[in-house]
Amino acid sequence: MITKQQYVEYLISTVGNFTGTNLAEHLDEVSHDTITDYLQTERITARALWELVEGLIIDSPESFLIVDDSVQDKRYSRFIELVKLQYSGAEHGLVRGIGIVNLVHSAGSKQDFYPIDYRIYAPDQDGKSKNDHFMDMVKNALSDKQILAKYILFDAWYASVANLKLVHRLGLTFFTTLKSNRMVSLSKEEGYIHLEQIEWTSERLNNGFMVKLKEVPFKVRLFKVVATNGDIDWVITNCPDETLTTQVAQDVSDVRWQVEELHRGLKQLTGTEKCQCRKGRSQRNHLACCYHAWVSLKVKANALGKTLYQTKHDLLSDYLRAELRQPRIQAFMPA
């Protein structure tokens, strides 16, 4: 028999090889079949993640909700349930994998953040799009979890008319980006034009200005954010503060990159992509345990004042120090 605690602690401790086969080889009296049965029969849901982090988040009206998705690369897997061809931002193209939509709670820039909900993108099973999951999680965060955060951040993928109307109706202040092909209206007389057609005065560059998006019943403030490499982000917000500047909008939008830290940490430190089980339920349970492992690393890292990567690396450092003190395999030295 194997417990969730044992499986999570394995994900925390192992490096590179996160498979059940590797676990069975290193855990006494536990076979590979035992691990397979555990992953197939348990039913760990995203609710378990919320129960784990509820007491850890620093929630207030000044906090942020962040929505983004990640694809767990399974390009070499042909028989794993939940795997489908989908776009991966990390790969900048289509890849076979398991999609996850994450909802992260952040106390702000350079402050603590934790995932509070997630959804597996499996339209063949539940008929839901990523935008459906977006709506479900946001509404659940406010109604069931009673989250106080008043700001929500997401990228252009989720800046649909329906999503913008929803978060505005819920009383949330959004900061998001637009794809360059979106059209806006500067005035009734001019009609709708592409973003690239806008004339940007110094005033508009510094402070943005109000525009109308097609089919959106309220105006938004549009900012042109130019990166040092020349890349352009079209940032919009429904924030009513007329003193808002482009720099402030950029600083707020930058908080969204915390979700990228989560995605990277889940893959590199807990092995979200490495489970080889074919059953969808096994993959779901493995992913749920990966979130638990990430939170465990986060809590320990905070206590030590280190990063998650330093905290996990310390496990290897302890092993190396012990071997150097008393090597189990000594260097062969000819007489």
Side-chain angles (χ1 to χ4, degrees):
M1 181 177 180
I2 184 173
T3 65
K4 180 185 178 183
Q5 179 176 345
Q6 288 175 308
Y7 193 82
V8 170
E9 289 172 349
Y10 163 66
L11 295 177
I12 293 171
S13 303
T14 190
V15 178
N17 190 342
F18 295 87
T19 64
T21 302
N22 187 46
L23 172 56
E25 290 175 353
H26 293 86
L27 189 59
D28 294 340
E29 299 180 0
V30 171
S31 67
H32 182 269
D33 287 345
T34 300
I35 298 166
T36 300
D37 290 343
Y38 167 77
L39 290 175
Q40 287 182 359
T41 56
E42 282 294 300
R43 191 174 183 82
I44 313 172
T45 67
R47 184 69 190 180
L49 173 62
W50 170 243
E51 292 171 354
L52 197 64
V53 302
E54 183 177 5
L56 299 175
I57 64 172
I58 304 172
D59 191 30
S60 76
E62 300 303 311
S63 302
F64 297 83
L65 293 174
I66 312 170
V67 182
D68 200 7
D69 58 86
S70 174
V71 177
Q72 314 312 301
D73 193 332
K74 302 281 190 179
R75 69 182 69 190
Y76 302 113
S77 304
R78 291 289 178 267
F79 306 104
I80 294 179
E81 297 175 4
L82 302 179
V83 171
K84 68 188 299 348
L85 190 66
Q86 54 196 297
Y87 180 81
S88 168
E91 297 294 330
H92 303 290
L94 295 175
V95 65
R96 286 178 52 81
I98 298 176
I100 307 177
V101 185
N102 285 300
L103 179 64
V104 171
H105 181 283
S106 169
S109 179
K110 299 181 181 178
Q111 301 296 318
D112 231 349
F113 64 92
Y114 289 92
I116 62 173
D117 203 351
Y118 66 91
R119 295 288 187 273
I120 307 297
Y121 174 54
D124 295 337
Q125 281 74 35
D126 57 26
K128 291 190 175 185
S129 68
K130 291 181 180 180
N131 282 306
D132 291 330
H133 291 310
F134 173 100
M135 294 183 180
D136 289 346
M137 290 194 295
V138 172
K139 289 187 286 188
N140 180 270
L142 301 184
S143 62
D144 293 357
K145 297 181 175 66
Q146 296 292 298
I147 293 296
L148 301 176
K150 291 300 181 184
Y151 297 94
I152 183 166
L153 313 174
F154 44 94
D155 65 15
W157 180 273
Y158 295 97
S160 67
V161 170
N163 287 345
L164 296 180
K165 290 166 68 174
L166 171 70
V167 298
H168 188 74
R169 187 170 65 249
L170 292 174
L172 296 174
T173 298
F174 62 74
F175 286 82
T176 184
T177 54
L178 293 179
K179 294 181 180 179
S180 58
N181 62 355
R182 289 288 283 267
M183 300 186 73
V184 299
S185 173
L186 281 59
S187 68
K188 290 183 178 179
E189 294 74 26
E190 294 184 50
Y192 288 93
I193 61 174
H194 285 287
L195 293 170
E196 293 92 340
Q197 296 177 278
I198 297 174
E199 182 180 343
W200 287 90
T201 64
S202 58
E203 169 66 20
R204 287 177 174 179
L205 286 172
N206 290 330
N207 303 299
F209 67 108
M210 302 301 293
V211 300
K212 177 78 167 57
L213 283 173
K214 244 184 177 181
E215 300 182 26
V216 177
F218 52 87
K219 286 190 173 183
V220 298
R221 184 171 290 273
L222 171 68
F223 301 92
K224 182 180 182 180
V225 178
V226 183
T228 54
N229 63 359
D231 288 346
I232 296 174
D233 275 340
W234 308 98
V235 178
I236 59 168
T237 179
N238 61 336
C239 180
D241 186 356
E242 296 183 357
T243 66
L244 197 64
T245 65
T246 300
Q247 184 59 57
V248 172
Q250 182 176 5
D251 292 342
V252 172
S253 297
D254 285 347
V255 177
R256 184 169 59 85
W257 291 105
Q258 290 177 334
V259 74
E260 299 297 339
E261 293 184 43
L262 170 70
H263 292 165
R264 186 169 58 253
L266 282 169
K267 291 180 179 180
Q268 296 180 358
L269 300 177
T270 74
T272 51
E273 298 178 317
K274 303 303 183 181
C275 179
Q276 298 175 356
C277 295
R278 294 186 178 184
K279 295 294 184 181
R281 173 48 51 194
S282 299
Q283 291 289 337
R284 290 178 183 273
N285 286 330
H286 171 76
L287 289 168
C289 288
C290 287
Y291 280 93
H292 195 140
W294 186 94
V295 172
S296 301
L297 280 168
K298 177 83 165 176
V299 170
K300 186 64 174 179
N302 286 352
L304 296 173
K306 298 182 177 182
T307 68
L308 275 74
Y309 290 87
Q310 289 170 333
T311 302
K312 182 144 187 174
H313 183 265
D314 284 350
L315 298 174
L316 299 178
S317 296
D318 291 343
Y319 160 77
L320 181 56
R321 290 190 185 96
E323 285 299 310
L324 291 175
R325 284 194 300 268
Q326 192 171 358
R328 285 175 291 180
I329 300 177
Q330 297 182 352
F332 171 70
M333 303 299 293

